[in-house]
Amino acid sequence: MAKEALEDWRCFIQDMKVNLRKASVHKGDGVFGNRPWMKIHVGDVVKVEKDQFFPADLLLLLSSYEDGISYVETMNLDGETNLKVKRALEVTLPLDDDATFKDFNATIRYEDPNPNLYTFVGNLEHDRMVYHLDPSQILLRDSKLRNTAYVYGVVIFTGHDSKVMQNSTKSPSKRNGVEKQMDKIIYILLSLLVFISFISSIGFIVKTKNEMPNWWYLRPPDTNNLFNPNKPLVVKVLQALFINRDIHMYVEETGTPAEARTSNLNEELGQEHVLVM
């Protein structure tokens, strides 16, 4: 369980590091500025430069190439090292620099968030015209821009709605079934031990309170300070401490003092005393 908690904590720290990365986002009036990934919203226009990761799922608007194509590495998504070609719509190609986004306005209607990496259904409405969208215009989060100086894209999915997050699952536990079964058995044994100890303690208190006054052979000479049957609680650990500090309990030949290394030593001493009598 501790290993799993540690692994979850490491994943959380890694996610925080990723979400604190900076991206260039349109702030208005054709001005772009840096903003953390975690503060990017749907509808923001983002500029991504060469060898940078895409901070969210984007609809490609234009690239540094005149025909609007870009090259994307999707190794983090599907493990493929070959570059994918993405192509922007012709209607958005005139947006060739930051200032052109000042007056740009369009409406995008598309599917709900889903984990499918290779399909996309949507439309872009601009100047009373409707343009069909397909996966060739979509730039997925965690893929990287390659062989292209820069691209502009509008955010369509962020955070857990992005396709890569929709496909992510919790890492499976590496602990086998025997270890998990042993954990359950240990929890059961521990609970049983606590229960038995609790019941035994109650029984010892009741028995001591009711029967100790009749055990005359266990009664010390001075009962005023050492023994009170109305207070039957006995702590073996404290008794062991008393034995260790008793200067009169030692071996005369060697001068070795008594040392209680077990909490049951007091009971064994009482049994030996009875046998001697």
Side-chain angles (χ1 to χ4, degrees), residues 188-200:
I188 294 174
L189 292 177
L190 179 61
S191 302
L192 184 61
L193 178 62
V194 172
F195 176 74
I196 293 175
S197 300
F198 178 74
I199 297 299
S200 299

Side-chain angles (χ1 to χ4, degrees), residues 117-137:
L117 299 175
Y118 306 106
T119 63
F120 184 80
V121 178
N123 295 303
L124 184 143
E125 300 177 8
H126 179 64
D127 286 343
R128 300 183 180 180
M129 297 292 292
V130 178
Y131 303 90
H132 175 69
L133 302 176
D134 58 58
S136 64
Q137 285 104 34

Side-chain angles (χ1 to χ4, degrees), residues 150-213:
Y150 61 86
V151 295
Y152 289 89
V154 59
V155 178
I156 55 176
F157 293 126
T158 63
H160 292 282
D161 289 340
S162 60
K163 290 184 179 294
V164 65
M165 294 298 290
Q166 290 279 322
N167 280 276
S168 65
T169 57
K170 186 177 180 181
S171 300
S173 175
K174 296 182 180 180
R175 302 171 68 242
N176 55 39
V178 176
E179 292 178 337
K180 294 180 180 180
Q181 188 67 25
M182 285 297 299
D183 286 346
K184 295 180 181 179
I185 295 175
I186 290 175
Y187 293 148
I188 294 174
L189 292 177
L190 179 61
S191 302
L192 184 61
L193 178 62
V194 172
F195 176 74
I196 293 175
S197 300
F198 178 74
I199 297 299
S200 299
S201 299
I202 295 177
F204 177 78
I205 293 173
V206 173
K207 186 176 181 65
T208 301
K209 183 176 182 179
N210 296 333
E211 300 183 9
M212 184 62 79

Side-chain angles (χ1 to χ4, degrees), residues 1-156:
M1 298 295 290
K3 292 182 179 180
E4 293 179 358
L6 180 60
E7 186 64 25
D8 290 341
W9 175 251
R10 289 176 178 173
C11 292
F12 172 76
I13 296 298
Q14 184 64 28
D15 290 341
M16 286 299 298
K17 290 180 179 179
V18 171
N19 289 326
L20 290 176
R21 292 176 180 173
K22 302 292 185 179
S24 181
V25 182
H26 185 230
K27 294 184 176 181
D29 295 329
V31 178
F32 282 73
N34 290 332
R35 187 186 299 173
W37 283 21
M38 62 191 303
K39 293 186 178 180
I40 294 177
H41 306 289
V42 173
D44 288 338
V45 177
V46 179
K47 181 179 181 181
V48 180
E49 297 182 352
K50 181 180 178 181
D51 295 332
Q52 289 184 343
F53 290 97
F54 300 115
D57 290 352
L58 309 176
L59 170 63
L60 177 61
L61 298 177
L62 75 150
S63 72
S64 57
Y65 294 106
E66 294 182 357
D67 54 0
I69 67 170
S70 62
Y71 299 94
V72 177
E73 179 186 279
T74 61
M75 185 172 59
N76 288 348
L77 303 179
D78 52 20
E80 296 183 6
T81 56
N82 58 309
L83 301 181
K84 306 293 194 305
V85 178
K86 302 293 183 178
R87 187 182 301 272
L89 295 173
E90 292 185 5
V91 67
T92 59
L93 293 182
L95 304 170
D96 54 358
D97 58 22
D98 294 357
T100 55
F101 286 94
K102 179 179 180 180
D103 300 322
F104 178 74
N105 187 17
T107 301
I108 305 173
R109 305 180 188 277
Y110 51 92
E111 62 188 7
D112 292 333
N114 63 79
N116 199 322
L117 299 175
Y118 306 106
T119 63
F120 184 80
V121 178
N123 295 303
L124 184 143
E125 300 177 8
H126 179 64
D127 286 343
R128 300 183 180 180
M129 297 292 292
V130 178
Y131 303 90
H132 175 69
L133 302 176
D134 58 58
S136 64
Q137 285 104 34
I138 305 301
L139 307 173
L140 299 180
R141 173 175 171 158
D142 277 352
S143 55
K144 182 183 290 187
L145 182 65
R146 293 288 195 183
N147 300 340
T148 310
Y150 61 86
V151 295
Y152 289 89
V154 59
V155 178
I156 55 176

